[in-house]
Structures are given as structure tokens and as C-alpha cells.
Amino acid sequence: MRKPAPIQPPEDDPEIAAKRAAIREGIAAADAGRLIPHEEMRRWLLSWGTEDELPPPQCK
């Protein structure tokens, strides 16, 4: 029995192209060291909707 060929989405779909571009941009930013530490992001998200809502964290 042969293994089925992987399904490839159409390359001309603008939504797929935009997602792939965003992924490439995120990987490039991480490779360049532009990251937000997990704990800072967690604190910010947990502050949403509270009286002491924090400002968004900045990339390091």
C-alpha cells in the first residue's frame, strides 16, 4: 500500500500567504532575539479586565 501524498494548500490563497508571511516574520524576530519573556506576557494577560491592568510588555 502506498502512502498518500501530503495535501498542499493552494499557493495563491491570500489568507494562507499572509499566515506564512506572519510565521516567517515571527521566526526572524525570534532568531534576532526580539522576544517577550513568558512570565512578563503571562502577568500582562492576567491583568486584563482588572483595576490594575498592566501596559503591554515590550520585546527584549
Side-chain angles (χ1 to χ4, degrees):
M1 179 182 239
R2 290 187 329 181
K3 189 175 182 181
I7 297 173
Q8 295 293 326
E11 293 296 323
D12 58 347
D13 184 329
E15 186 175 332
I16 292 171
K19 286 179 183 179
R20 287 184 176 163
I23 291 168
R24 282 191 298 273
E25 184 180 328
I27 291 170
D31 288 346
R34 293 186 306 271
L35 304 168
I36 297 174
H38 172 79
E39 192 54 38
E40 289 182 27
M41 182 62 74
R42 182 179 183 280
R43 276 194 300 271
W44 176 58
L45 292 172
L46 290 173
S47 78
W48 286 6
T50 69
E51 291 181 18
D52 299 318
E53 189 169 313
L54 299 171
Q58 301 298 312
C59 290
K60 302 290 181 195

